[in-house]
Amino acid sequence: VDLSHLSPEERWRVEHARMHAKHRGHEAMHAEMVLILIATLVVAQLLLVQWKQRHPRSYNMVTLFQMWVVPLYFTIKLNWWRFLVIWVLFSAVTAFVTFRATRKPLVQTTPRLVYKWFLLIYKISYATGIIGYMAVMFTLFGLNLLFRIKPEDAMDFGISLLFYGLYYGVLERDFAEMCADYMASTIGFYSASGMPTKHLSDSVCAVCGQQIFVDVNEEGIIENTYRLSCNHVFHEFCIRGWCIVGKKQTCPYCKEKVDLKRMFSNPYPFSSWERPHVMYGQLLDWLRYLVAWQPVIIGLVQGINYILGLE
């Protein structure tokens, strides 16, 4: 059969029929391959759970690295140039921000830079995911026909936006946590002896050391000024950068424990980053597993089948 004269659907049917004819009589082999797949999935899941519980830092770092690089392989292989362009832009800026966050000594303006960048990505990914979800639901209810859009085109558009929002939302969250960990180990004036190495007045931000021009009780045009329960004052973006994802709930100057929910009348985005909805958190974990570990597990299964001579 000359496949060049057939439509894509007909070509797929012919290839599917050829595959069935090729593997006819291999039911026992196929059953063995299915058992290998199930066993590998179970064992891999148990190992990943144990790794995550015993060594969470290394697990998170490896997962983040694979989340970052695994899609690049499929992007180049499948010629997804739009995704590749966005991935390169995101990676370039995030690499610069991460580089700044891991420098010692920490530059005074780095916390607000980290906060602004990841807040921007958070907003974009959240909006993209919502639009993609709405597009999928509209297609399921047939509302795409009102705009004369084909169901397959509308569904592809919705699923693509939903994946973009979830994927970059997960990357943004994980990179933000990593940057916050590095900044927490270098920022502030607190010494090992228990006494601050430098005294700051009330008119100076305890994070960046720059002058504060807006009073605590005044409404700022660009950003406000906050005073923690320990009486140290900060620029809004500086203290929010320090407290990214709600993990660093201590004063960067004196290390006193503070309750951000009580200190900030509008704790956004701490509330959305600190305690995500249970289902949303499970969805993010599932996406990490799907993107970072599923290709590795499938590759391992294929390797086992190849060693055992199974096709």
Side-chain angles (χ1 to χ4, degrees):
V1 179
D2 188 1
L3 299 180
S4 61
H5 298 291
L6 300 178
S7 64
E9 293 79 6
E10 293 173 336
R11 190 181 304 117
W12 181 85
R13 293 193 186 96
V14 172
E15 293 176 350
H16 194 65
R18 286 179 175 177
M19 183 189 68
H20 276 282
K22 178 181 179 181
H23 293 276
R24 186 176 293 113
H26 293 177
E27 289 78 7
M29 181 183 297
H30 295 166
E32 186 177 354
M33 295 173 66
V34 171
L35 291 177
I36 292 175
L37 174 62
I38 295 176
T40 305
L41 289 174
V42 172
V43 173
Q45 187 65 30
L46 292 176
L47 292 177
L48 290 176
V49 170
Q50 291 297 318
W51 184 12
K52 184 177 181 180
Q53 292 178 349
R54 297 176 183 272
H55 305 283
R57 184 177 179 85
S58 61
Y59 172 84
N60 292 332
M61 291 295 293
V62 173
T63 301
L64 176 58
F65 177 76
Q66 292 188 186
M67 279 281 297
W68 186 36
V69 301
V70 166
L72 181 63
Y73 168 77
F74 294 100
T75 297
I76 298 176
K77 182 178 181 180
L78 300 175
N79 298 325
W80 292 344
W81 304 119
R82 180 179 55 192
F83 183 91
L84 180 61
V85 171
I86 298 176
W87 184 92
V88 169
L89 293 176
F90 172 84
S91 299
V93 180
T94 300
F96 172 75
V97 172
T98 304
F99 175 81
R100 290 282 301 271
T102 55
R103 295 305 91 195
K104 295 182 179 181
L106 192 69
V107 180
Q108 296 171 337
T109 57
T110 297
R112 67 168 57 218
L113 171 66
V114 173
Y115 169 76
K116 287 182 177 180
W117 169 243
F118 288 116
L119 177 61
L120 175 64
I121 299 300
Y122 171 82
K123 290 182 176 180
I124 294 176
S125 61
Y126 186 81
T128 302
I130 291 296
I131 295 174
Y133 176 77
M134 293 177 61
V136 171
M137 296 305 298
F138 284 171
T139 304
L140 292 177
F141 285 104
L143 298 179
N144 59 291
L145 299 177
L146 298 177
F147 303 96
R148 297 182 179 180
I149 302 177
K150 296 181 179 179
E152 55 270 21
D153 295 338
M155 187 62 71
D156 289 344
F157 173 77
I159 293 177
S160 297
L161 288 184
L162 188 60
F163 175 78
Y164 274 83
L166 291 175
Y167 174 72
Y168 287 105
V170 172
L171 278 186
E172 160 266 328
R173 182 186 296 264
D174 293 346
F175 270 111
E177 290 192 11
M178 183 183 68
C179 290
D181 286 336
Y182 277 106
M183 289 192 302
S185 64
T186 57
I187 201 171
F189 302 92
Y190 193 76
S191 63
S193 62
M195 295 295 293
T197 58
K198 183 178 179 181
H199 176 72
L200 296 178
S201 65
D202 290 343
S203 61
V204 174
C205 175
V207 171
C208 68
Q210 302 299 314
Q211 195 75 19
I212 292 179
F213 298 100
V214 180
D215 189 72
V216 175
N217 299 321
E218 295 179 353
E219 185 72 21
I221 299 177
I222 300 178
E223 62 178 335
N224 298 324
T225 300
Y226 288 106
R227 184 188 301 274
L228 301 183
S229 55
C230 56
N231 291 325
H232 294 125
V233 293
F234 307 87
H235 295 118
E236 178 183 3
F237 289 161
C238 288
I239 189 59
R240 289 186 185 274
W242 163 260
C243 301
I244 275 182
V245 300
K247 291 183 60 179
K248 313 304 171 191
Q249 299 193 25
T250 57
C251 174
Y253 181 73
C254 67
K255 303 302 182 183
E256 179 176 327
K257 181 72 174 180
V258 295
D259 188 355
L260 298 177
K261 294 181 179 180
R262 295 181 58 185
M263 297 307 302
F264 299 136
S265 57
N266 178 23
Y268 174 82
F270 301 132
S271 58
S272 58
W273 276 350
E274 180 185 7
R275 290 186 177 180
H277 192 275
V278 175
M279 291 185 61
Y280 182 64
Q282 293 176 348
L283 178 61
L284 296 185
D285 289 337
W286 174 81
L287 185 65
R288 291 187 184 96
Y289 176 80
L290 178 65
V291 176
W293 294 110
Q294 191 70 12
V296 176
I297 296 174
I298 296 301
L300 180 61
V301 171
Q302 292 180 346
I304 296 175
N305 290 335
Y306 177 79
I307 294 175
L308 297 178
L310 304 176
E311 295 183 1

